[in-house]
Amino acid sequence: MLRPLNDNVVLQKEKKETKTASGIILTQKEEETEYAKVIAVGVGSKDEAGNLVPVDLKVGDRVVYKSYSPTKIKIDDEEYLIVAAKDILAVLE
């Protein structure tokens, strides 16, 4: 598994449903989601005084991130995203 360094976070995109709850198959290509699940969190970064500032996320959080910022990596046919904590915009609750 990936262990992010500093204030980086590993995300896994959520799979989109290809059919509705009533069974209708969606054939139109929709815009790619910018929602993902947090898989791993780095320890944080140091502030100007040298104090460690932890990342305010935990494994399992569902987040919204900036679509242009992640680095994509594929491991065992699974795609993961590595993104800086500052590029995560919100946690879905």
Side-chain angles (χ1 to χ4, degrees):
M1 186 42 130
L2 294 168
R3 182 176 56 90
L5 302 176
N6 303 318
D7 64 344
N8 290 307
V9 179
V10 178
L11 304 175
Q12 188 172 34
K13 280 183 145 180
E14 294 184 345
K15 306 264 190 239
K16 284 189 142 187
E17 291 296 321
T18 56
K19 63 180 175 177
T20 65
S22 60
I24 297 172
I25 297 174
L26 302 172
T27 57
Q28 253 184 332
K29 184 173 180 176
E30 296 179 27
E31 283 187 32
E32 224 173 279
T33 181
E34 294 165 352
Y35 302 109
K37 181 178 168 184
V38 175
I39 303 299
V41 180
V43 294
S45 59
K46 293 190 177 189
D47 63 12
E48 292 176 9
N51 300 315
L52 183 66
V53 179
V55 177
D56 190 23
L57 295 167
K58 63 185 180 306
V59 173
D61 282 347
R62 290 180 64 220
V63 297
V64 179
Y65 63 93
K66 292 180 181 178
S67 61
Y68 60 83
S69 64
T71 299
K72 295 178 183 180
I73 186 166
K74 198 168 195 173
I75 299 175
D76 298 328
D77 294 329
E78 287 288 332
E79 188 174 278
Y80 298 97
L81 306 170
I82 301 172
V83 63
K86 66 178 179 153
D87 291 331
I88 296 176
L89 304 173
V91 176
L92 298 168
E93 296 180 339

